[in-house]
Amino acid sequence: MKLETKEELEQELRTIEKWEKDQKGLWFWERIGRLPFKLLDKVTPGFIQNKLGIMLDEIGSYIQTGGKYLTKEADILGKLQAKSPEVNIKVLDDVSSVPLHVMDSVSQDIKNSGSKLATVQGATTGIGGIFTLAIDIPLLLGMSIKTLQDIAITYGFDPRDRQERIFIVKCLQFTTSDVVGKKALLNELTKMGRTEEDSKREIASELQGWREVVYTYRDQFGWKKLLQMVPVAGIIFGALSNRTMIADIADTGIMLYKKRRILERIENPILKS
């Protein structure tokens, strides 16, 4: 199975760069949607505040050790193998020989299955209104991290590596940032393929973003999650907001990991089979 020509890779790269330029931040109603949680922060029930504290600890643990979110690499490799029988895929390094269209196909499957699961989860936790919202927030965070890990493996990157875990957290930030934040994060994400020495010098500053990740994540729920606090009616809004969020996160992961794979292939062309 032949890999892409340089011209095809450059065309794919232009598509991704167009997507990056199209990231204009939040729609007006989403900006407004961030206000309720910020205004109600002081009166947020204690049990939800406790959950946010747990999320902070989990983000820190995830970056340091991988936490409990590490995915089953063999499952993703099996899906890639099934769609590219001409390539012998036994370990993660073998993924570098898989054509982009196969990686894209598996990533779309991950996005679709994750969105469906998030829809069910959001509907289920929406039944109890505010009382199950405290459960929904950390569950959605865990699902978001796992989705990005699966996509990382699909494009041949190892989420067990600490720098990859930082990249994943930056992808989470990117998805929930406004246009100014997106621009800054794109610059950071582009630079994360540098030498190990350069990366180590910035690890301390990268890790300071844990708290920001959690609170921008919380703010992202906005009025949609406030509506989910209404029992029964929250089923609809919970399902919709969770599905949309996982789909957006998956799109971010697909575009940014695909970009890295394309740049590697352009800079270090592999012999075509």
Side-chain angles (χ1 to χ4, degrees):
M1 185 177 289
K2 292 184 178 181
L3 296 183
E4 304 77 16
T5 64
K6 183 178 180 180
E7 291 72 23
E8 289 171 334
L9 290 172
E10 290 174 343
Q11 177 59 46
E12 290 279 1
L13 189 57
R14 285 193 290 271
T15 299
I16 294 171
E17 290 171 346
K18 181 181 182 301
W19 174 84
E20 291 176 345
K21 291 179 181 178
D22 288 343
Q23 301 304 297
K24 300 298 184 182
L26 305 173
W27 292 100
F28 177 76
W29 62 270
E30 288 181 311
R31 292 180 186 274
I32 298 299
R34 288 189 170 199
L35 297 178
F37 259 125
K38 290 181 177 180
L39 294 174
L40 294 174
D41 190 50
K42 292 183 180 180
V43 295
T44 300
F47 63 89
I48 292 183
Q49 294 285 8
N50 290 337
K51 286 293 181 181
L52 293 175
I54 292 172
M55 287 170 68
L56 284 170
D57 293 338
E58 289 187 351
I59 287 286
S61 174
Y62 171 69
I63 293 178
Q64 295 290 349
T65 67
K68 62 185 179 182
Y69 300 110
L70 285 177
T71 190
K72 292 183 179 179
E73 180 180 303
D75 291 348
I76 306 300
L77 297 183
K79 292 176 181 178
L80 289 166
Q81 181 70 81
K83 295 195 176 191
S84 53
E86 299 88 348
V87 182
N88 188 23
I89 305 173
K90 298 297 183 183
V91 295
L92 187 59
D93 286 344
D94 296 332
V95 176
S96 62
S97 300
V98 175
L100 279 178
H101 72 86
V102 174
M103 296 177 174
D104 292 344
S105 178
V106 173
S107 292
Q108 285 298 323
D109 290 344
I110 291 169
K111 172 186 173 180
N112 293 338
S113 61
S115 296
K116 289 177 182 177
L117 181 59
T119 301
V120 174
Q121 177 190 302
T124 302
T125 53
I127 294 174
I130 192 171
F131 300 103
T132 49
L133 180 61
I135 300 172
D136 190 30
I137 293 176
L139 282 177
L140 189 59
L141 175 65
M143 190 179 300
S144 300
I145 291 175
K146 186 180 183 303
T147 297
L148 288 171
Q149 286 183 139
D150 288 350
I151 291 171
I153 292 172
T154 302
Y155 287 97
F157 297 95
D158 190 354
R160 290 171 297 189
D161 180 86
R162 192 183 188 196
Q163 278 297 98
E164 288 304 329
R165 295 198 294 271
I166 293 175
F167 188 88
I168 284 172
V169 171
K170 290 294 181 182
C171 286
L172 291 177
Q173 283 182 275
F174 180 86
T175 306
T176 56
S177 293
D178 59 19
V179 63
V180 176
K182 281 182 177 359
K183 183 176 180 180
L185 284 163
L186 274 178
N187 290 334
E188 289 183 32
L189 288 163
T190 299
K191 294 176 182 177
M192 287 191 72
R194 296 171 305 174
T195 64
E196 185 68 19
E197 184 178 350
D198 288 337
S199 297
K200 284 180 179 178
R201 283 201 293 265
E202 289 198 2
I203 280 181
S205 62
E206 300 289 355
L207 300 187
Q208 291 174 0
W210 297 350
R211 186 171 298 274
E212 178 189 349
V213 172
V214 172
Y215 282 96
T216 56
Y217 218 73
R218 187 276 312 270
D219 291 342
Q220 158 71 11
F221 286 80
W223 67 266
K224 291 176 286 187
K225 287 298 178 183
L226 288 176
L227 289 171
Q228 187 175 335
M229 290 181 183
V230 181
V232 183
I235 297 174
I236 298 173
F237 297 104
L240 178 62
S241 60
N242 281 22
R243 181 183 66 189
T244 301
M245 191 162 197
I246 291 298
D248 288 346
I249 284 168
D251 284 338
T252 296
I254 290 169
M255 289 295 186
L256 297 180
Y257 271 111
K258 183 177 180 179
K259 180 180 181 179
R260 288 176 62 187
R261 177 54 61 195
I262 289 172
L263 290 175
E264 283 196 8
R265 287 189 177 173
I266 290 176
E267 295 169 7
N268 303 291
I270 302 173
L271 290 176
K272 308 295 189 292
S273 57

